[in-house]
Amino acid sequence: MGPALRPPEGAAGSAAPAIFIGLFAAFGGILYGYDTGTIGGIITMTYWRNNFSMGYVNPHGDLDVTANQTAEIVSILSAGTFFGALASSAFGDLFGRRQGLIVSCFIFIAGVIMQSASVAIPLFVAGRFFAGLGVGLVSSLVPLYQSETAPNWIRGTVVGTYQLAITLGLLLASIVNNATKNRMDSGSYRIPIAVQFAWALILIVGMYCLPESPRYLVKSGKHNDAQKSLARLRRLDPEHQQLILEFQEIQENFEHEKMLEGGKPATYLDCFRTSNSVRKRLITGCVLQSLQQLVGINFIFYYGTRFFQSSGIHNPFVIALITNIVNVCSCLPGLYLIDKWGRRPLLLWGAVGMCVTQLIVASVGTAIGLGDETANKTLITFVCVYIFFFECSWGPVAWVVTGELYPLRVRAKCMSMTTASNWLLNWAIAYATPYLVDEGPGNADLGTKVFFIWGGFCAVATAFVFCFIYETKGLALEEVDQLYVRCEQPWKQTKRSTSAGKSDDAEQSRKGQGQRLQNMPVLANTHELESVRTFNSIRKETDGRIESLGSRSRES
């Protein structure tokens, strides 16, 4: 097997449209990254502190906002994103993945307008909350849309580009902040905030032109539209045999899920059922996204500029810019390795690398102190190495894994709770950090000792990956269900068990699900009977079309 990522042998059509669509949808990560990155610089700008201060004077004798106000301003975005992520299921199932993203951008724009117009903390905080609602919706819907449209063999890379877009957003925020930091007028903070209009408008216009997720259309009963959408994504004729087989697998898997639950509409309660290991998968996704925050990455990007400044490092804006450049560049090898090496080893070794670098930073800062130039250089170096390990692994892979985990019937609901858990911990860290790091009464004044906390969570993350994360590289979303049935412990997963699932599913997609239905219990109610009738009608219709295509090819 060579170094290049290639489609499987005999694959018809082209993956280029689906890859391009997934890459464009990743632009939603710009909103997330840029909005996260701007606030770290804005709260250190002299003009902003002078005008938004309510009279508090910091230990250096300058007007400033208090630690409590800083925590509120920074963390309120995460509070908004938490509620936005929870609402994403309703948006994704009611409006669709594509239109849900468009509506989310308009909510985000409302928050940007409020922040741009603000001259005091209350309106600024309200604007950040509404912007957070939009970001929370986008952060759940983008990986969902990408995972449902991308081809299996490169799905990890496509979904991982969402994290690349987040890093690009952070870098752009750092560049704009660095350009406006010395302005002594409202443009110092209004320009960085107003730039976000452009990102939202680009995403709105682009998503208007892109197709809806075929899996969402199947879930909504719009089978003709779903087949046309899939044909556009695969660049195949709607009557092509391979496209019909893929479309049939999506339909049959969804009908099978409905049949198991009696044909009833999915509810949040279904996400906690043990059937099909849904509850296990939900817990896995929530813990994975929580640990992505607890390893401490957003401490660097929320408070990095302020932390470097308080540590005695000259030009903290420049250091923040350097860390953001490292952030972007480090994401690229991770995108390649996701579908080449796999999800599980990347997460495992990434957690080990982060743990080691965090503990080095904490130990050097505690033993030598940050007044020493050598200690400062060591701090910056190993923070950059830590960012490299994160962006190669936990940055993109956490989004990839959670986008693949869930059955179609409850996917949007599970994704909403999974993403909400990420934002809940994001809020907790954003709110608690000033009290953990800052000097003064009521604060812990940990300084670099805070890296001991992040390092400890990296050790927990290592154990969690070993015990709970399966390898889903190359599997169709429908095949992930079979993996959880066949293999109870991730560390016992073998290539044989995975390939067996793939071959079984391929055979079922060609020969139908008759045998599986025979082995199921007698159906107890009319909902189940109706689901089976729909299931069988899909089967007969698709088999007839495949047979017709075969006859035409033999005649020719």
Side-chain angles (χ1 to χ4, degrees), residues 23-45:
L23 292 177
F24 183 84
F27 195 85
I30 297 283
L31 275 66
Y32 175 174
Y34 188 90
D35 203 41
T36 299
T38 51
I39 194 62
I42 287 173
I43 61 177
T44 63
M45 292 178 181

Side-chain angles (χ1 to χ4, degrees), residues 209-279:
C209 302
L210 299 184
E212 181 55 89
S213 158
R215 287 176 169 87
Y216 166 75
L217 292 171
V218 166
K219 185 175 184 290
S220 303
K222 301 176 182 177
H223 293 153
N224 289 334
D225 291 340
Q227 188 162 354
K228 290 176 184 177
S229 174
L230 189 62
R232 183 177 172 186
L233 290 168
R234 301 294 181 260
R235 199 178 281 173
L236 287 171
D237 187 274
E239 299 298 323
H240 192 281
Q241 183 169 342
Q242 282 195 17
L243 187 131
I244 291 175
L245 288 172
E246 182 179 357
F247 183 59
Q248 175 192 354
E249 184 178 356
I250 296 170
Q251 286 180 301
E252 290 183 348
N253 197 75
F254 177 63
E255 292 301 328
H256 176 57
E257 291 173 19
K258 282 174 59 179
M259 184 181 61
L260 290 177
E261 299 299 335
K264 297 176 291 186
T267 64
Y268 273 98
L269 186 62
D270 293 323
C271 300
F272 296 93
R273 298 190 187 280
T274 56
S275 60
N276 214 10
S277 300
V278 176
R279 182 168 63 188

Side-chain angles (χ1 to χ4, degrees), residues 75-264:
S75 66
I76 195 66
L77 177 87
S78 301
T81 54
F82 172 76
F83 292 107
L86 286 178
S88 66
S89 171
F91 275 68
D93 285 339
L94 178 64
F95 299 110
R97 304 348 183 190
R98 183 178 67 91
Q99 292 185 7
L101 280 168
I102 293 172
V103 174
S104 303
C105 288
F106 282 110
I107 296 173
F108 176 78
I109 287 173
V112 172
I113 291 172
M114 295 169 73
Q115 290 179 78
S116 300
S118 65
V119 292
I121 288 177
L123 184 59
F124 193 81
V125 167
R128 280 185 60 77
F129 178 81
F130 280 98
L133 279 176
V135 171
L137 289 163
V138 168
S139 66
S140 182
L141 291 173
V142 166
L144 181 62
Y145 179 77
Q146 289 177 308
S147 65
E148 291 186 345
T149 55
N152 306 338
W153 62 274
I154 201 170
R155 185 179 61 242
T157 299
V158 171
V159 179
T161 57
Y162 177 62
Q163 178 66 24
L164 177 63
I166 293 174
T167 66
L168 287 170
L170 288 163
L171 176 60
L172 290 169
S174 183
I175 292 171
V176 176
N177 279 344
N178 195 51
T180 65
K181 68 180 188 295
N182 294 323
R183 291 178 65 111
M184 294 307 294
D185 56 30
S186 63
S188 61
Y189 69 92
R190 282 180 171 154
I191 291 173
I193 292 171
V195 167
Q196 295 174 101
F197 283 116
W199 314 141
L201 290 174
I202 290 171
L203 189 60
I204 289 171
V205 173
M207 292 307 300
Y208 183 79
C209 302
L210 299 184
E212 181 55 89
S213 158
R215 287 176 169 87
Y216 166 75
L217 292 171
V218 166
K219 185 175 184 290
S220 303
K222 301 176 182 177
H223 293 153
N224 289 334
D225 291 340
Q227 188 162 354
K228 290 176 184 177
S229 174
L230 189 62
R232 183 177 172 186
L233 290 168
R234 301 294 181 260
R235 199 178 281 173
L236 287 171
D237 187 274
E239 299 298 323
H240 192 281
Q241 183 169 342
Q242 282 195 17
L243 187 131
I244 291 175
L245 288 172
E246 182 179 357
F247 183 59
Q248 175 192 354
E249 184 178 356
I250 296 170
Q251 286 180 301
E252 290 183 348
N253 197 75
F254 177 63
E255 292 301 328
H256 176 57
E257 291 173 19
K258 282 174 59 179
M259 184 181 61
L260 290 177
E261 299 299 335
K264 297 176 291 186

Side-chain angles (χ1 to χ4, degrees), residues 7 28 125 134 175 225 271 285 302 313 328 382 389 426 428 453 455 466 474:
V125 167
I175 292 171
D225 291 340
C271 300
Y302 277 140
I313 295 174
V328 173
F382 279 97
F389 277 112
N426 187 301
I453 298 176
F466 180 81

Side-chain angles (χ1 to χ4, degrees), residues 147 152 155 215 249 253 257 276-278 281 343 400-408 411 469-487 493 497-498 501-502 505:
S147 65
N152 306 338
R155 185 179 61 242
R215 287 176 169 87
E249 184 178 356
N253 197 75
E257 291 173 19
N276 214 10
S277 300
V278 176
R281 293 194 245 180
R343 284 71 159 148
V400 173
V401 171
T402 52
E404 297 172 336
L405 273 178
Y406 309 114
L408 175 59
R411 186 171 294 144
I469 299 298
Y470 289 82
E471 181 53 70
T472 53
K473 180 186 71 171
L475 297 179
L477 295 179
E478 290 69 31
E479 292 165 351
V480 175
D481 293 340
Q482 298 298 320
L483 175 62
Y484 273 84
V485 171
R486 287 184 171 87
C487 185
Q493 182 182 353
S497 65
T498 304
K502 294 178 73 173
D505 287 342

Side-chain angles (χ1 to χ4, degrees), residues 348-362:
L348 192 64
W349 291 107
V352 172
M354 288 189 295
C355 182
V356 172
T357 52
Q358 296 270 29
L359 295 178
I360 289 174
V361 171

